[in-house]
Amino acid sequence: MKILRQHCTGDCRGRPQPACVSQSFTRRGSRVEVIISRIPASLCPECGQSFLEEETARRLENLLRPFHGTRGHVPDLPPAKIYIDFEEAGKIQRAA
Ligand SMILES: [Zn+2]
């Protein structure tokens, strides 16, 4: 995914439209797959490329960090699939 732009990338002339997407995140060295649903994004109707706002990208990183760690430091966790609802997680973060 890339940061939201007014127009799509490269030669594509599509205009990304607001959408809610689900995405699976994996990381080299980690056996944990994190599936995050209801991510507010923009999708290009022409080529299907998805775009994120910076704030959304930051929040996604925060959600993934406990499972995928930071650069060069991946936590040693057993194989697992984690499902996170982005919208619900946002409510918890704000309430804390
Ligand atoms: Zn496009």
Side-chain angles (χ1 to χ4, degrees), residues 7-9 11-16 43-49 51:
H7 293 280
C8 197
T9 49
D11 294 334
C12 180
R13 299 200 166 272
R15 268 177 177 271
L43 281 182
C44 175
E46 301 290 326
C47 68
Q49 172 73 53
F51 299 87

Side-chain angles (χ1 to χ4, degrees), residues 53-72:
E53 284 181 43
E54 264 180 79
E55 173 66 17
T56 305
R58 209 168 20 239
R59 282 176 57 196
L60 277 177
E61 267 177 43
N62 287 337
L63 289 174
L64 291 170
R65 194 169 300 128
F67 308 106
H68 287 171
T70 52
R71 191 183 289 269

Side-chain angles (χ1 to χ4, degrees), residues 27-89:
R27 183 162 188 167
R28 190 189 295 267
S30 172
R31 288 170 290 173
V32 180
E33 180 182 2
V34 185
I35 297 112
I36 303 181
S37 58
R38 290 207 282 173
I39 303 167
S42 296
L43 281 182
C44 175
E46 301 290 326
C47 68
Q49 172 73 53
S50 57
F51 299 87
L52 291 178
E53 284 181 43
E54 264 180 79
E55 173 66 17
T56 305
R58 209 168 20 239
R59 282 176 57 196
L60 277 177
E61 267 177 43
N62 287 337
L63 289 174
L64 291 170
R65 194 169 300 128
F67 308 106
H68 287 171
T70 52
R71 191 183 289 269
H73 183 86
V74 178
D76 187 23
L77 295 168
K81 267 193 181 189
I82 312 284
Y83 292 88
I84 298 174
D85 183 310
F86 189 86
E87 223 168 85
E88 291 297 321

